[in-house]
Amino acid sequence: MSIDLNRIALAYGARTLLHEASASLPAGSLTALIGRNGAGKSTLLRVVAGLEDPAAGSVALCGRPLAACSPQERAAVVSFVATEKIRIADLASEEVVALGRAPYTDWTGRLRPEDRALVARALELVGMAAFARKSLDRMSDGECQRVMIARALAQDTPVILLDEPTAFLDLPSRYELAMLLRRLAHEEGKCILFSTHDIDVALGFCDFAALIDTPSLCCLPAAEMARSGRIERLFAGSGIRFDAATGRVRLADE
C-alpha cells in the first residue's frame, strides 16, 4: 500500500475530528476524500503530507513510517497541491513546474538535463506543453491547476495529495481534471488522494471514496460507497439528498 493510516486521531481545540481512523490506499489508485465542511479533510491531508502531526496514530507512506522520514526523504515520497489560487506574474509555467525538482538539486538550484526532461514530461502529461512559456497570471483557473499538478508530477513522488483541486472550476473543467487525475493514477502508478465536495466526481471517476463522518473515517470502493447509505446519512436533515442511482446530490424538494 502507498498510504497507510493507522488509528489516526485529529482534533481542533477540544473538538474531536477523527478517532482511531484507519485506511490503506494502494499505488495506481485515485481516492476522493469527502465530508462536510469542517470535518477535517484538509487537516488529514496535511497530516498525510507530514505538514502537521496527528493527535494520535501514525502514517506510513510506501511502507515506511512518515515520522521516520527526514524532510528531504519526505519530499521524495509525497507531493502536495494546496487549494489556494496561485497567480505568479512574470514566472513562466515551466519555471513553476521546475520548482518540483527542488528536492533533487544542489544548493544553487541548477537543473540538470534529466530535471528539465522531467519538467517537460510533466507539462506534456497534463496537456500544458504549449503553455510552457506562459505565466500563471495569464491563465484560467483550470490551466493554473494543471500547472500545479505538473509541479507535483515533476517532484516525481509515488504519492500525490490535492486539497479541493476542483474548487473554482466550472463543471466541464471539474470533469476534465478528474479524468486527468484518474489517468495519472492508473497510467503512472501514482497513489492520488484529493479532497472534494463534488460527490458525483468522487463516485464517478475514483477508485475509492474515503468519507469522514465525524469522528469516523470509512474508505470503500466508490461503487460500494454509493450503495452503502453512508452518504445519505451524512446529508440527512441538511435539505439536500443523495441520489444513489445517479451519484448526484440534489435539493430535497427536486
Side-chain angles (χ1 to χ4, degrees):
M1 296 294 177
S2 283
I3 299 176
D4 284 291
L5 307 179
N6 181 33
R7 304 180 71 177
I8 293 291
L10 301 180
Y12 183 76
R15 181 183 173 219
T16 298
L17 299 176
L18 281 178
H19 178 65
E20 295 196 343
S22 297
S24 294
L25 305 176
S29 67
L30 178 63
T31 301
L33 180 62
I34 56 180
R36 302 188 70 168
N37 284 341
K41 298 186 297 297
S42 295
T43 302
L44 181 58
L45 288 175
R46 291 180 62 82
V47 166
V48 176
L51 301 176
E52 292 186 21
D53 295 325
S58 61
V59 176
L61 299 179
C62 301
R64 184 171 183 188
L66 185 62
C69 297
S70 68
Q72 187 81 7
E73 292 170 330
R74 192 166 61 237
V77 176
V78 59
S79 51
F80 181 69
V81 179
T83 191
E84 292 84 2
K85 287 185 179 182
I86 297 177
R87 290 289 189 271
I88 306 173
D90 303 322
L91 190 63
S93 61
E94 66 180 356
E95 295 171 316
V96 175
V97 175
L99 295 174
R101 299 304 301 160
Y104 311 101
T105 60
D106 60 20
W107 65 273
T108 66
R110 185 180 297 113
L111 295 180
R112 301 162 297 176
E114 54 265 39
D115 294 315
R116 296 189 182 280
L118 281 169
V119 169
R121 182 171 185 271
L123 283 166
E124 182 70 31
L125 282 171
V126 301
M128 294 297 288
F131 293 74
R133 296 306 306 164
K134 191 173 182 179
S135 60
L136 267 66
D137 62 320
R138 296 167 52 216
M139 293 184 185
S140 69
D141 290 338
E143 290 166 347
C144 287
Q145 193 64 274
R146 285 174 176 263
V147 170
M148 300 312 295
I149 293 172
R151 180 194 57 76
L153 289 173
Q155 195 173 330
D156 198 24
T157 60
V159 176
I160 300 177
L161 309 174
L162 306 97
D163 193 4
E164 296 197 35
T166 58
F168 316 121
L169 302 183
D170 59 24
L171 191 59
S173 297
R174 291 177 187 180
Y175 289 158
E176 288 175 5
L177 183 57
M179 288 188 288
L180 168 63
L181 294 177
R182 181 180 175 88
R183 177 168 58 84
L184 293 173
H186 292 178
E187 296 181 7
E188 300 297 314
K190 306 292 186 181
C191 178
I192 302 179
L193 173 64
F194 71 101
S195 63
T196 184
H197 289 287
D198 294 321
I199 303 299
D200 54 335
V201 166
L203 300 180
F205 293 91
C206 296
D207 302 296
F208 299 96
L211 173 68
I212 297 180
D213 188 2
T214 307
S216 65
L217 174 71
C218 176
C219 186
L220 296 171
E224 188 175 338
M225 179 66 77
R227 297 190 301 266
S228 69
R230 293 177 181 271
I231 298 176
E232 290 93 330
R233 289 194 294 273
L234 183 69
F235 291 117
S238 65
I240 59 178
R241 65 181 179 87
F242 171 68
D243 186 342
T246 63
R248 296 183 179 275
V249 174
R250 305 179 183 278
L251 293 175
D253 57 359
E254 286 186 343

